[in-house]
Amino acid sequence: MIVDDRVLREDFVPSEVVHRHDEVNLLSESLEPLLYGRRADPAFCFGPTGVGKTCIARYTLAQLREQEPAVEVAYVNCWQEYTRFRVLYSVLEAVGRTIDIHRSTPKDELFGRLRETDDRPIVVILDEVDQLEETAALYDLHRLGHVSLVLIANREEELFASFDDRVRSRLRAGTRVRFDRYGTDELTAILAERADKALEPGCISGEQLRTIADAASGDARVGIGILRSAARRATQQGRERVTDDVLEAAIPDARTAIRRKTVEGLIEHQRVLYDIVADVGEVEPGDLYDEYERRVDDPKTNRTLRNYLTKMVHYDLIEAVGERRGRTYRIIDDDAVGRE
């Protein structure tokens, strides 16, 4: 049934995009100076999870490189590469300049190595940029005249609140590309495009694709996950097409798989916070921070912990209940997905 599994992967970038033409055009316009040998101002992609921010950024840069192959693109996921060293190393790795660099290499030496790459323009996509634990890397990259930045985050206010003054002042200008949730018709069209390329003809109906889109609530990541889960289930059961009972089982199965994968991707201190919320069931911030400090040797600041919690809320791992003073956190999935 599945003829091209790549198309159903979360990180797949299609050759043509559906229903994001305005966003593509706006981001393309912001990067246009690169076609004339000039640096582009920073570009920001803001919006909730699963609305195509990463896909559109990578697609737009791929289109740019077709026009100007000299432009190098470095993609950095700041959820995993969240320190100055790891960001700079990731950019150097993308442009093939990591020879003789080790964990003990001074960060200023990495910056110096990156400064020497000025024989070509580089666009750095910083995904989940609000997960950076230190903004020095942003300051470094902005100082380099041959580096242009595309920054991806959920909310502008939260992102700029995490910046120090020198970074905030330098990045305040720039293009904002805002992404809304997909409508059911839009997400159905996206799923139809994926199904057409990934599956045998006729193995899933338009009505079933709409059912998936409804269940995904505007989140393409969830919708594609459900489609992938349904196709795999049908294949494992020897079906020639996706049946309604297979689809019904695939919907919660896909959500669980996505949540488990997200939990597994949490960094150490985020995972400690998640486990505490899962253990307690519902917890106030003060009690959560106290227990966190008991469980770790080198606790992060309260500001960093708030950032972690906000990100987990965005990814539907935990829920924030109530207003600031009376707020509590609780696990969305009662089964505490991903925990032993």
Side-chain angles (χ1 to χ4, degrees):
M1 181 181 295
I2 300 176
V3 296
D4 190 349
D5 191 63
R6 295 178 308 113
V7 180
L8 299 178
R9 286 173 48 177
E10 194 175 314
D11 59 354
F12 176 75
V13 179
S15 57
E16 294 293 333
V17 297
V18 181
H19 291 300
R20 284 294 188 226
H21 301 298
D22 289 344
E23 291 83 353
V24 169
N25 289 340
L26 183 55
L27 185 55
S28 296
E29 287 172 10
S30 75
L31 297 170
E32 192 172 357
L34 289 159
L35 298 177
Y36 305 102
R38 303 196 306 272
R39 182 192 199 183
D41 287 334
F44 299 87
C45 297
F46 292 118
T49 302
V51 295
K53 303 184 299 295
T54 302
C55 179
I56 293 305
R58 300 185 84 158
Y59 170 82
T60 304
L61 265 300
Q63 296 293 306
L64 178 78
R65 291 201 73 224
E66 287 188 7
Q67 298 178 71
E68 182 49 80
V71 175
E72 296 270 13
V73 177
Y75 172 82
V76 183
N77 186 329
C78 299
W79 193 313
Q80 304 301 321
E81 317 301 337
Y82 49 84
T83 65
R84 182 188 179 200
F85 180 96
R86 293 170 76 161
V87 169
L88 296 179
Y89 182 89
S90 295
V91 177
L92 285 168
E93 187 175 40
V95 298
R97 297 292 184 92
T98 53
I99 297 174
D100 297 329
I101 291 179
H102 311 284
R103 288 180 180 273
S104 59
T105 302
K107 292 183 280 288
D108 288 343
E109 187 175 325
L110 267 66
F111 176 73
R113 184 83 66 94
L114 193 54
R115 186 167 47 200
E116 293 169 0
T117 64
D118 61 357
D119 57 327
R120 75 199 88 169
I122 302 172
V123 179
V124 178
I125 302 173
L126 294 177
D127 204 352
E128 309 281 6
V129 67
D130 48 1
Q131 286 298 288
L132 286 177
E133 291 193 357
E134 48 188 342
T135 55
L138 285 173
Y139 184 69
D140 287 338
L141 294 172
H142 192 268
R143 288 166 60 194
L144 298 171
H146 64 294
V147 173
S148 301
L149 296 173
V150 176
L151 309 179
I152 303 175
N154 296 118
R155 294 179 180 173
E156 180 173 358
E157 300 79 10
E158 291 168 2
L159 176 63
F160 276 86
S162 70
F163 291 163
D164 59 39
D165 289 340
R166 65 176 184 174
V167 171
R168 190 180 299 116
S169 64
R170 284 163 175 78
L171 297 181
R172 182 62 71 180
T175 301
R176 270 70 166 165
V177 184
R178 304 191 187 279
F179 293 72
D180 296 322
R181 287 282 187 198
Y182 289 109
T184 301
D185 289 343
E186 293 173 327
L187 191 46
T188 301
I190 291 169
L191 294 170
E193 186 78 12
R194 295 291 178 106
D196 184 59
K197 289 181 169 58
L199 307 179
E200 293 280 2
C203 63
I204 190 166
S205 69
E207 185 177 341
Q208 288 174 320
L209 292 174
R210 191 169 187 84
T211 297
I212 295 174
D214 277 332
S217 302
D219 188 329
R221 184 182 57 137
V222 173
I224 293 166
I226 295 171
L227 178 60
R228 180 175 60 244
S229 178
R232 287 177 176 171
R233 276 177 168 267
T235 299
Q236 290 165 0
Q237 295 176 18
R239 311 281 184 102
E240 293 185 358
R241 64 181 311 280
V242 174
T243 58
D244 289 344
D245 61 311
V246 166
L247 181 54
E248 185 178 349
I251 291 172
D253 186 47
R255 287 189 174 279
T256 298
I258 289 169
R259 190 171 287 121
R260 179 178 293 113
K261 182 179 178 182
T262 306
V263 169
E264 290 172 353
L266 295 176
I267 60 178
E268 177 188 358
H269 291 260
Q270 292 170 335
R271 183 59 187 260
V272 171
L273 288 173
Y274 177 84
D275 286 345
I276 293 169
V277 178
D279 289 342
V280 176
E282 187 164 349
V283 60
E284 295 179 357
D287 295 335
L288 176 58
Y289 297 163
D290 289 344
E291 179 60 25
Y292 161 80
E293 289 181 348
R294 281 193 287 271
R295 295 193 186 189
V296 301
D297 295 326
D298 53 340
K300 304 292 185 182
T301 65
N302 283 358
R303 179 177 177 179
T304 298
L305 298 184
R306 286 195 299 271
N307 189 28
Y308 288 166
L309 291 166
T310 298
K311 180 58 68 171
M312 285 191 275
V313 169
H314 286 318
Y315 273 82
D316 293 329
L317 295 182
I318 63 175
E319 182 179 12
V321 183
E323 298 302 321
R324 284 190 176 181
R325 295 204 171 186
R327 175 169 295 173
T328 60
Y329 293 99
R330 66 189 181 198
I331 294 291
I332 288 180
D333 183 0
D334 293 335
D335 292 329
V337 172
R339 302 183 72 246
E340 296 298 332

